[in-house]
Amino acid sequence: MGIISAYRGRGVGRRLIYAALEKASQERFIRIELSVHADNMPAIALYEKAGFISEGLHKHAVCIDERFIDAITMAKILDTKRQPIS
């Protein structure tokens, strides 16, 4: 997700991530994954507050304005009780 700069710092991202998590829970998702640019500290902090944990680093994942940026993969487990279908 991305927030237009004029609306950053107003809780829009927080409301979006929690709405997405609520919908995922209603739909009985077990796991949610995302990736975030490693230099986006506000987004990383938001995801950590929402319960996401870092699972991996992708070096030089994107190139923006001729600058390579790493990406962090994060995930949150919503339901640890459900067993996968085999």
Side-chain angles (χ1 to χ4, degrees), residues 18-66:
Y18 283 102
L21 289 170
E22 178 62 28
K23 182 63 175 172
S25 180
Q26 290 171 0
E27 296 295 328
R28 301 189 61 201
F29 282 32
I30 295 171
R31 177 182 168 88
I32 306 296
E33 298 176 0
L34 60 84
S35 65
V36 58
H37 292 176
D39 63 351
N40 189 345
M41 299 314 291
I44 293 167
L46 170 64
Y47 299 140
E48 287 174 342
K49 284 180 187 173
F52 285 82
I53 59 168
S54 179
E55 291 191 330
L57 179 70
H58 301 273
K59 301 295 287 178
H60 287 62
V62 295
C63 184
I64 299 174
D65 296 329
E66 299 182 17

